[in-house]
Amino acid sequence: YEAKAEQIGYSIFNAEQGQGSARRLALQRELRPAIDRGDLQVLFQPKVAIQGWQATGAEALVRWNHPIEGTLQPEAFLPIAEHTGLIMPLTLKVVNDCLEAQRLWRGSGVDLSVSINVSPKWLRDREFPKILRLLLHNWQGRPEQLTLEIPENAVMLDPTGTLEALDAVAALGVGVTLDHFGTGYSSLPMLQRLPITALKIDRTFIGNLFESRSASVVVRSVVKLAHGLGLRVIASGVESERAADHLAAIGCDEIQGFHVGRPMAAEQMPHWLQRQAARRQTCS
């Protein structure tokens, strides 16, 4: 498997590799019970309009509260979920938690959009739009307050199937954002056909804004391209005021990252919004 992953003819076994494989197998066995028990927690990272700092929504981020290893980040278990097919029930759990959180917020007078990352496997499931419609109905959710973030490489892997799935999702009134943009080499004709409303610049470009001239050029080009197509631009991984100011200067529409707010539990979001409102009043 290591040889396949590295696309080489052979791989020599070593002890560290064995330990990694044993850990993956253990996590694989534990993931399904963890989903059923509710050990996976959905956190929400806010997004703001770069002009005016008004909250525009939040991205759902999942963490695994492992009884032995502590809090596990997505990169530790999402590849396992993809490989085993558990990405389907995991995504359903995330969607349910997001819709429940939105209903909680509405009870507090907060009407906030949530974006959810969706695996390419879900896009190949023709039942996905029907399931999404049913979940929205069950939670009395508002489709216009829900956005699916689709990885750019999913479009290139199956353009026809992805387009059909996204058209069905858009017909529900649910928004679609093309995530990790700049890494998947989407064609312009495909971009024009997709029912998307925003492009999300991959965080690797944002992290290298001031270290790599090519990264800065890519970000500036994506902003121009998106606006030319009538799309909003979202930058993720913004961790400094300098980066936020630079993105504002080149016309980026929304940002998220530690500079805006760290991922937080659903019940913390209304308090964060109140602090942001007070901050805007102070600044004005």
Side-chain angles (χ1 to χ4, degrees):
Y1 281 118
E2 183 74 17
K4 286 182 178 180
E6 298 296 331
Q7 296 184 344
I8 54 179
Y10 60 88
S11 178
I12 305 300
F13 177 81
N14 61 59
E16 290 183 1
Q17 192 180 76
Q19 292 170 0
S21 298
R23 180 174 183 265
R24 284 194 298 271
L25 285 172
L27 292 178
Q28 181 176 320
R29 288 194 302 269
E30 296 166 351
L31 183 54
R32 182 63 201 236
I35 295 172
D36 295 338
R37 285 195 306 265
D39 292 347
L40 271 67
Q41 180 186 16
V42 177
L43 302 178
F44 299 89
Q45 185 171 45
K47 296 183 285 187
V48 298
I50 204 165
Q51 302 296 337
W53 217 255
Q54 180 74 35
T56 58
E59 180 183 358
L61 302 171
V62 66
R63 303 289 187 265
W64 183 356
N65 296 319
H66 194 277
I68 298 174
E69 300 199 28
T71 302
L72 295 179
Q73 299 295 316
E75 55 268 22
F77 59 90
L78 285 186
I80 296 172
E82 288 277 3
H83 178 69
T84 60
L86 290 175
I87 195 66
M88 315 293 262
L90 191 155
T91 303
L92 287 179
K93 183 260 191 307
V94 172
V95 174
N96 270 300
D97 283 7
C98 289
L99 294 174
E100 182 180 14
Q102 287 182 309
R103 192 166 72 173
L104 172 71
W105 296 337
R106 286 196 295 271
S108 303
V110 173
D111 204 11
L112 192 66
S113 173
V114 170
S115 59
I116 301 171
N117 294 280
V118 178
S119 164
K121 287 189 176 181
W122 264 120
L123 298 179
R124 293 195 289 270
D125 190 328
R126 294 183 178 273
E127 298 299 312
F128 179 53
K130 298 177 183 177
I131 294 171
L132 195 58
R133 183 175 65 242
L134 179 63
L135 293 177
L136 283 164
H137 175 76
N138 289 346
W139 288 104
Q140 298 177 330
R142 299 175 182 174
E144 69 277 7
Q145 295 286 17
L146 191 66
T147 298
L148 303 185
E149 295 195 0
I150 310 301
E152 186 184 12
N153 61 4
V155 179
M156 302 311 296
L157 288 172
D158 183 13
T160 302
T162 300
L163 182 60
E164 291 177 358
L166 295 185
D167 281 340
V169 166
L172 298 175
V174 174
V176 179
T177 292
L178 196 61
D179 198 8
H180 304 305
F181 190 76
T183 62
Y185 310 105
S186 295
S187 66
L188 284 176
M190 178 56 68
L191 278 181
Q192 292 175 310
R193 293 172 60 197
L194 290 170
I196 57 177
T197 56
L199 298 180
K200 195 168 190 179
I201 304 174
D202 191 75
R203 63 185 302 117
T204 56
F205 295 115
I206 305 302
N208 290 318
L209 265 178
F210 307 111
E211 286 73 34
S212 168
R213 182 178 179 277
S214 60
S216 180
V217 170
V218 167
V219 172
R220 191 181 297 270
S221 300
V222 170
V223 171
K224 289 183 178 180
L225 171 65
H227 289 168
L229 294 172
L231 305 173
R232 292 178 294 109
V233 183
I234 305 168
S236 62
V238 179
E239 299 186 358
S240 68
E241 186 173 357
R242 182 188 180 196
D245 290 343
H246 179 81
L247 291 165
I250 64 176
C252 186
D253 300 294
E254 300 176 29
I255 59 173
Q256 73 177 87
F258 288 172
H259 182 62
V260 176
R262 291 179 177 270
M264 64 191 77
E267 58 269 21
Q268 295 175 306
M269 185 60 73
H271 303 296
W272 181 87
L273 290 169
Q274 290 173 1
R275 292 195 301 271
Q276 286 299 111
R279 174 185 172 184
R280 288 197 303 274
Q281 289 179 353
T282 301
C283 293
S284 60

